[in-house]
Amino acid sequence: MALATLFGEAHLFGAKPNTPESGNIHPHTAKASHLKPRAKNVIFLFMAGGPSQLELFDHKPELNKYDGQQVPSEVIEGFDLPFIERDAALMASPVSYTRHGECGAEISEMLPHLGSVADELAIVKSVQTDAFNHAPAQIFLHTGHLQLGKPSIGSWVTYGLGSDSRDLPAYVVLGQTAVSGGSSCFNCGFLPTVHQGVPFRSQGAPVLFVENPAGVDDQLQRDTLNTIRRINSERLRTVHDPEIAARISAYEMSFRLQTSAPELMELSQESAQTLAMYGADPVQPSFAGQCLLARRLVERGVRFVEVSLSGWDHHSDVVGSVRKISQKVDQACAALVKDLKQRGLLDDTLVIWGGEFGRTPMVENNPALGRRRGRDHHPNAFAMWLAGGGIRAGTTIGKTDDMGYQVVEDPVHIHDLQATVLHLLGMDHEQLTYSYQGRDFRLTDVGGQVVSKLLA
Amino acid sequence: MLPLLAERCFLCHGPDEESRESGLRLDTRRGALDGGVFPGDPDASPIIRRVTSKDPDLQMPPPGSGKNPLTAAEISLLQDWIEKGANYELHWSFRPPERPKIPGSNFSRRARSAIDHFVWARLDQKGLTPAPPADRHILIRRVTLDLTGLPPSIEEVDAFVNDQAPDAYEKLVDRLLASPQYGERWALWWLDLARYADSNGYESDRSRSIWSWRDWIINALNIDMPFDQFTIEQIAGDMLPDATPAQRIATGFHRNTWINEEGGHDWEQFRYESVVDRVHTTSTVFLGLTMACAQCHDHKYDPISQREYWQLFAFLNNADEPDFWVSDPKIRERQQQIDAEVARRIAGRAAKFPPLDPATTTSTDQESRQKHLKTKFRAWLQDPSNRPIHWTLLDPRSAKSAGNATMTELDDHSILVTGDRPEVDSYQIVYELNSPRVTGFRLEALPDARLPNYGPGRGSFNGDGAFVITEFQVDVVGLAPSPAVDSALETKPRPNPTQQRLEFVHAYASYKEQEISHSIDGNKLTHWFIAGGAGQRHVAVFETKGPQEFPAGTRIRVTIPQNFVHQQTLGRFRLFVTGTPGPLHPNPRPTSIDLLLLKDPEARTEEDQISLQDYYLSIAPELESYNDEIQKLQASRPRFPTTFIFKERKQKDKRATHIHVRGEYRRPADVVSAAVPAVLHPLAAGAPRNRLTLAKWLVDEQNPLVARVIANQLWQSFFGQGIVSTSENFGVQGAPPTHRQLLDWLAVELRQGGWSLKSLQRQIVMSSVYRQSSRIPPELAKRDPQNVLLARGPRLRVDAETIRDIALEASGLLVETVGGPSVFPPQPAEAGETFGGFKWKPSTGADRYRRGLYTFRKRGGPYAAFATFDAPAPNTCTVSRGRSNTPLQALAQLNDLVVLEASKAMARRVLRNFPNSVTDGVRRAWRLALSRPPTESELTALIEFHKRQLQRLEDGSLNAEAIYGATANDDEQLRALAAMTTVARLLLNLDETITKE
């Protein structure tokens, strides 16, 4: 019996829509519309903790004027501040900004490398979200909902588009997966488990359980799998359950994953030049190495790669701390964009950089918490950037008020961002739905508008 | 007709008033007749013109709406319906089930129960034939897995296969239903619905203790608690008359929601979110209704308005969420032992006082000891540094929490703070001063069993029982209007005290003294922070700038801002005032001792004297090590475990429930009172509108839904899909039942059978339908691939937890302890890492091999192997699990440490019984995993595999020690164990091993 015909073998890791997924009792039909896709893959550089837009992208020279003054109460009226007091003082940023590239994008001194790819970027200085605590905001960024149990954006994308990889999961998460929002950030919610974000380690065996147990060599593993197949096949001939066929091919694919995974992780295969461009060490795990790995995954057909980096929650010494983490991030992010471009992958690959919220223009000083010259969580206006995959390169959109507190031009809500990402992948965010518990759910809940200014 | 209208029209012409287009409403007859439908005259009816129109401006559903146009067949259905009068019938599930007549079929001869007749009548119609009965080996494994979640032992299989008695199967079923493992298996069903977890979720995701509730479920299922009682106790057990501890523990059902403990959060918002979740869970679990849709707007399809949603919310909005100490006789015994020992040692203190001159006195010389004690005690009494302060306890007149916490005055005039748990708070308490002179105040923070970790604070984040005092402020506000004072006024008017804020110049504390000055420094960012001193009394003293004089009856308002993070506010406290001149450095003495010290020594009674000496003995430096021992003993007193419960708030503290515009927390609108949706049965007449009434309403015999919904969930557990395949949605948008009469029959059976789950399950597994073979004839695979018509038995991959249990049972490793705290089976270290440094520390000993049910459910990072096998993340109520089939599952099963340990244990087990015959050993191993005997070719495949591995072990290309470990008598035995380990690992990876066939 031709097993592959019994089950869409090639897509076991990221079942294509309209493939009847065995045993799934929920209706499972992606309603991807007929938009022309601009991107095929996504690399989401998730900066967990809330990077300070004021030290990175949102240049506010006017803030110098107000430095040390109490924030006007009308500015913050109706908004919540988790840690700081309502009479907190505004704090100017001592960071200098330079214009980069032909587009003249303003990027701070913290990100010199990123400046070198400014003409590839679309910087959004007016992102808004609905939550001001880490876990809810991270879950909102990923799932579009504050309520729990909804699928992550990576799951939605693989649900809508399936995967081109035979050997690898469709949605891979690299880096620090132990984020505030926990596994809910990468969870498939009510979508079938095949759409779950699969965490990859950046060293050694990438996937959980991918290594043979002690004493089991490849020959024994192969012999075991052959014998399992022999016995399962006999049972299939007796009971005719297609699930057995699916299991047989799943076991075969697990072996392929076991053999292909080590090769995938071999960063030493990359040229010295490439490694140097990222600042990656082929042996020591690093954010740079993960960015490089993200490219290798995309090359191998993985649909959605997320690189997660914690450490952006700068309640204290915001300037020093942003400087420190930027040194870890800047070169690798710029290298990723360049590398994708050089290899002709940037057109098909959408790169997104950002965190769950930004930081207040007001200072956070709190002796009891040991905090000095930090910034608090700020959901009203923060910055992200996108590149590749149908993005209008060399643009900056969105404007905030003099204090950087409120958006005054081109607000981009998280739902708008999500709608735009789906749009670039050829999906209408209102049509990509999944019926669960009596309701058609979508990533963008009941909101979201494609941000046309971001489209090429 | 209704499903068609619902699907195509209700989005714009349904119950939701706000999104209704052109004022046309098609979900009620009245609405339809008002402009859309002319009964008896389809041609004149606008609806027909619209659905048949090709004009994009007229056509319905409109192009681009995402709704398909009606097919010709659908249009003719619609015409026919209008022709016949456009009668609206209530949606089927809203009409109460009635016991249907049992149909006959061609297969009636083989039928054993009504279930068979219902299912086979349908098969008959479809021209299908029931499958033959399942092989007995298969059947016992199927029913044992279904009823206990474990595979049968080989002995049980053989006994059943060889039991020729006509009631052999019945006996088997009854044995399984009576086994303690039954409750564990079915608890899994309920835990998914209840979104049970052992951690709080969100960023902090701290571990919580609520396993007592899980054990309550196991027990309730094992004793076959009637489902109505099961429901009432879980929803409102705390409100039953004379509620027992077990009934309170049961209310943990709705405490399985997430708790946000991230610093700087808005507590009320997340409480609101948890009530939203409770409404959703209640309606999904018991009503099969998607009430959540009506949180933001009127339901688009079902007749539930937004107002009705919030009215239901009101029932669940009035509970406090305390911890509950779960009494345990073993712990209590230990506590009593310790208490007795402590009392004994305290009583023996005087006799342990050292003698005057140890060198010259014998250890038995009590006289010398007594004398010495007397001398020292007298010296202490006269020591000027012990200067007592005359503290007068103040009686609070009113107390208020800015964060809406509940303030209750206790008999000792302390205030206990319970209820809402705001992130930060500020208390205002009004007292009256009746002593003329004030030099200072003493705030006493008291421990209490009702507070986290015994308090005295309410903080429950990395420092349970912690609190802060940001500022301590006293304002003189005026004179009390007391009658006694008023009458005095008539003769001699009292001077009104000046309204003022008192100035404090010194603050002292019995604990963290270096921080107490923060509470009078006027800085709202600095605090007296009590962490680490949980369960103890702490005292702070605030000394005024010189003595202040006030007329009797002066009213003061004490304000205590507590402005830190993590709900670190005072839980129980009282206030004293003094006129004793400063310095007022506090002493650790209880007030009663100070009062005795203040007494004229001549006036002290003998009892006073004893109290003073007892106190002295507790602090005498001579007894320091003796007293330390007593303290250590007291500290070793074990506490009962806690669990989360509901406690209904008092009428005076009742929360108001608002409608929220678009469901948004920050947009409260009209206040509503508790009520149930009008489309369903009414509340019992005259019953109070509270949670208990709601609980009873859910299982009221008039409820058309609950029995159907629960019967359907049980059916789904056995057959993989419900009779209503959308087991979470019985509304208009839900799937119609595949066997409507069967469902109603089951529902009536359940209700009339005393709500016994076990009898309904017994009915199901006793049926011939259930006992059919699950083989799939190719013809049937085409006609009914999903087995909707049940022309064969179920063949389904088992749940994640059961996969583990099968491996442990087959290997003999399984530890069958029922209940207790959750455990941590081993998993790769990186799988257990979550935010905040939580480490998954693998259990050792027996807890390593407990059933999957007991695996710690970590919200931020679920146990990896279970997540891989579709165990839902415990976020929200899950009515049905996915059943995927992926390469990652293959990797988990091949390489998970649990499977490896089980493989080794299985090899040991087999070789113990069959040390000399590979064939017998392999056959045994096969049966441990699959119950049935292997076929010849299956056995051959395995024996050949074994032979190849043994060969390689012997020629050294495989390392036995690496595979098995080094615990064997000799090399030969080690090789045999290693070879059998590879066989066992293979067996645990067969499709059939993890399948209920």
Side-chain angles (χ1 to χ4, degrees), chain B residues 851-991:
Chain B
R851 293 192 67 174
L853 171 72
Y854 300 115
T855 298
F856 192 87
R857 290 193 176 200
K858 173 85 178 158
R859 290 200 151 114
Y863 181 63
F866 289 179
T868 307
F869 280 104
D870 305 301
N875 294 334
T876 51
C877 162
T878 303
V879 189
S880 56
R881 292 188 179 193
R883 210 174 287 113
S884 67
N885 193 339
T886 70
L888 295 177
Q889 291 172 357
L891 288 177
Q893 193 68 0
L894 282 164
N895 302 334
D896 185 5
L897 193 56
V898 172
V899 178
L900 299 180
E901 287 185 20
S903 305
K904 291 176 195 176
M906 218 165 132
R908 263 196 308 279
R909 189 178 185 186
V910 162
L911 285 177
R912 217 173 17 242
N913 290 324
F914 302 96
N916 300 318
S917 161
V918 168
T919 307
D920 288 348
V922 166
R923 184 183 284 122
R924 183 74 180 183
W926 175 283
R927 292 205 59 200
L928 285 171
L930 291 97
S931 300
R932 70 173 169 90
T935 64
E936 272 313 305
S937 60
E938 284 165 342
L939 189 62
T940 309
L942 270 193
I943 289 170
E944 286 172 7
F945 175 79
H946 180 273
K947 199 171 154 194
R948 287 194 297 275
Q949 309 323 319
L950 196 61
Q951 180 72 49
R952 292 192 65 209
L953 286 160
E954 278 163 0
D955 72 21
S957 66
L958 281 178
N959 181 341
E961 204 176 313
I963 292 173
Y964 179 76
T967 46
N969 294 333
D970 54 49
D971 285 355
E972 194 187 335
Q973 195 196 15
L974 185 60
R975 285 195 297 271
L977 283 164
M980 194 56 82
T981 298
T982 65
V983 170
R985 171 168 176 256
L986 187 158
L987 284 168
L988 293 177
N989 273 279
L990 292 179
D991 174 79

Side-chain angles (χ1 to χ4, degrees), chain A residues 124-141:
Chain A
V124 188
K125 297 201 291 189
S126 50
V127 188
Q128 300 182 313
T129 188
D130 284 2
F132 67 90
N133 294 130
H134 294 293
Q138 290 181 2
I139 292 169
F140 188 74
L141 170 66

Side-chain angles (χ1 to χ4, degrees), chain A residues 80 85 87 134 148 180 183 193 201 209 217 221 223 232 234-235 239 241 243 247 251 437-438, chain B residues 203 262 280 290 524 563 666 729 776 795 830 860 870 895 935 937 948-949 952 985 989 991 997:
Chain A
D80 297 295
E85 295 293 320
D87 59 359
H134 294 293
L148 306 157
S180 302
S183 60
T193 311
R201 289 181 281 181
F209 307 123
D217 62 6
Q221 185 76 345
D223 199 353
N232 279 347
E234 181 176 331
R235 198 62 188 163
V239 302
D241 186 348
E243 276 296 301
R247 183 127 16 245
Y251 269 74
Q437 300 198 343
Chain B
E203 178 179 81
E262 185 172 334
H280 164 68
T290 57
K524 56 193 170 188
N563 195 28
R666 278 168 217 291
N729 185 8
I776 310 174
R795 188 182 189 283
E830 62 276 20
D870 305 301
N895 302 334
T935 64
S937 60
R948 287 194 297 275
Q949 309 323 319
R952 292 192 65 209
R985 171 168 176 256
N989 273 279
D991 174 79
E997 184 153 314

